[in-house]
Amino acid sequence: MDHVALFTETSRACSKLITNCYSTSFTLGIRTLDKRFHLPVYSVYGFVRWADEIVDTFHSYDKAALFADFKRQTYEALDLGLSLNPVLHAFQDVVHQYGIDREFIDAFLFSMEMDLDDRNYNQSLYEQYIYGSAEVVGLMCLRIFCEGDRAMFDRLREPARRLGSAFQKINFLRDIRSDYEERGRVYFPGVQYERFTDEVKREIEADIRADFDAGYAGIVQLPRAARLGVYLAYVYYLKLFHRIRQLPAAGILGQRVRVPDNTKLLLLLGSYFRYRLRAI
């Protein structure tokens, strides 16, 4: 193995470590994909996680300056085909290998920049933020899963977007209290935190349900090598969604809903058996 290949392999291992440390749910989903997809998807997650950490975590630092430098390094890595930042090196390698669209990366970085400012979201900004922060991440992964099959990508593009949208809206609903108290944000357009009622919650849930249905229609058309992993993410978020739906609006504001680890294991086993029986 030459030194560049060794550096690339080590960089991908760094992204795998980041995923393992930051998200047990995402790690579990990746492990159910065909092995050839593991490191590429880890590389996408590492990139996304690092950007999100800058804008959401480093409050005692100049986050705008940190993010500007991260953005500069990202484009430099993409143009050069190399980065001494292992996360960015692994990501650029996957971008070039699978033909991930530069527009997806632009949209993602723009949405992350939006998080640097406290703001209220109108419908247009809300849709733009969801597209850049969640939908394009699904589209990056879809590029990997389609392995150059353009017709398949075009066919599954809209369902992938809707699935990413559903996941992000559930995150917004689950984290509505922390987003408001810690960051001064309410992502849902026209929703005031102090007036978050059961009626408002039901309207948001109906929107999420429609996204879920559209997303599932795409999951069953994915290549078998990718289907179980994406389906597992779907059932995990669906379980989280059901737990949120069972609570009144005041309950969402009073606690952060989560899915216990033992339930995640049951979801994995159930998903695996459905997959083996070709029920998905």
Side-chain angles (χ1 to χ4, degrees), residues 162 166 203-216 234 238 241-242 245:
R162 296 291 294 275
E203 290 176 358
I204 294 170
E205 289 167 349
D207 183 44
I208 293 172
R209 181 73 261 181
D211 281 338
F212 258 128
D213 292 343
Y216 181 79
Y234 166 84
L238 190 61
F241 182 50
H242 286 162
R245 289 182 66 186

Side-chain angles (χ1 to χ4, degrees), residues 245-257:
R245 289 182 66 186
Q246 291 170 358
L247 294 173
I252 297 299
L253 300 182
Q255 63 178 291
R256 188 179 192 272
V257 181

Side-chain angles (χ1 to χ4, degrees), residues 52 55-56 59 63 112 114-121 129 175-188 193:
D52 194 58
V55 300
D56 275 353
H59 303 304
K63 293 190 288 186
M112 293 300 97
M114 292 172 73
D115 272 342
L116 292 172
D117 300 315
D118 296 339
R119 67 178 75 219
N120 292 318
Y121 285 76
Y129 182 85
D175 298 335
I176 188 169
R177 176 180 175 179
S178 61
D179 281 335
Y180 180 76
E181 292 183 349
E182 298 173 17
R183 304 175 185 93
R185 305 174 196 152
V186 175
Y187 288 102
F188 298 111
Y193 181 78

